[in-house]
Each structure stands twice: as structure tokens, then as C-alpha cells.
Amino acid sequence: MSLVSFFSRLFAQGKAPAKDLYAIRMESLEGEMIDFSQYSGKNLLIVNTASKCGYTWQYKELQQLHETYGDKVTLLGFPANNFWWQEPGSNEDIAAFCEKNFGVTFQMFRKISVKGKDKHPLYGWLERQSGQLPTWNFCKYVIDAGGKVIGFFGPKVNPLDRKIIELIAP
């Protein structure tokens, strides 16, 4: 396959990295289309999540972060089944799990892929901007109000870690 053919197929599948964060539109877990332009001028914390992961307890801390610092940062959760199939359920299963077990009220989106050949364009943008791909579930990207990635934190970093707090609420 030629390089031109490869890129043509990639763009046709819609899996090329997004060029502009605020041009992205994605479906929420509830099926509502979310236009990322509404996040322009806001700090964001983007997290890839999974319901059957050893780090799933972080939903509780993410919710606490949302409740405590929601006026300073917008949390966006992206369920993904990329790491040892730890998010096998449907979008409806994920929504019920998050609500029942952790009372999640921050914005969650439909399940996507965060790595590999079917990686969602959002994660292509995050990789291009930060130089980092998720290494596991519950990796965290901090984006400032200007749309620049200013921090990447792996899954072992608690969402309430002072390094994250300092970036979102200096």
C-alpha cells in the first residue's frame, strides 16, 4: 500500500488526529452530541476510564475533584477497552456502573479507543500535543484554558494529587 493510499484510508475512516480540540464533536454516554467548542477558555482534565480496572476506585476521587474544583476545571471521562479488556460493557452498562458505584456527575462519553490503529482523533490530538499516549486506564491530561496540554499523569497518580491541583487551581 502506498503512503498516499494509507493516509487516504486513514482520513476516510475519520481516525486522523484532530487538528483543533475545539472542532471535535463526540457523543456523551447518554447519546447527546457534545461540541467541544463549549470547552474553549476552560481548563480540562481528560481521563481514559475502565470499569474493571484496579484503578477504578479513582472514579471516586475524580468525582470529588469535580465537586471541589468544578468551577476551575471541567472533567471529561472516556471509557476505553484498550487495556486487558477492562471496559467490556455497553455504553448503557458503563453509565449505570458509574452512577450506581461512584455517583459520577462529570461528563462521560461513549466508549472509544485511546490507542492503536482505531485510536479516536481526540487521543491522536492529545498524543501530538503532549508526546504521551495512555499507558493504562486512568491516565490524565490537563489542558489549560488556551487549549494547550500542560500536564500528563499516569494511572498511579491520584486525581487529587497536589501536582494536578496546582495545574488546575494555582
Side-chain angles (χ1 to χ4, degrees), residues 29-30 51 59 79 87 89-104 108-109:
L29 268 181
E30 297 78 26
S51 301
Y59 271 123
E87 189 59 272
S90 69
N91 289 305
E92 293 74 20
D93 294 337
I94 295 166
F97 175 85
C98 288
E99 173 60 30
K100 176 183 174 193
N101 294 301
F102 298 100
V104 168
M108 293 288 295
F109 290 84

Side-chain angles (χ1 to χ4, degrees), residues 18 52 63 68 105 149:
K52 299 192 181 302
Q63 181 61 31
T68 305
T105 59
V149 177

Side-chain angles (χ1 to χ4, degrees), residues 48-87:
N48 61 303
T49 64
S51 301
K52 299 192 181 302
C53 176
Y55 294 109
T56 300
W57 58 267
Q58 287 190 23
Y59 271 123
K60 179 180 178 186
E61 278 73 20
L62 289 166
Q63 181 61 31
Q64 186 177 347
L65 184 80
H66 172 65
E67 291 170 6
T68 305
Y69 297 99
D71 60 330
K72 298 185 182 333
V73 67
T74 300
L75 267 73
L76 305 176
F78 295 91
N81 196 31
N82 293 104
F83 302 100
W84 283 9
W85 310 280
Q86 294 182 343
E87 189 59 272

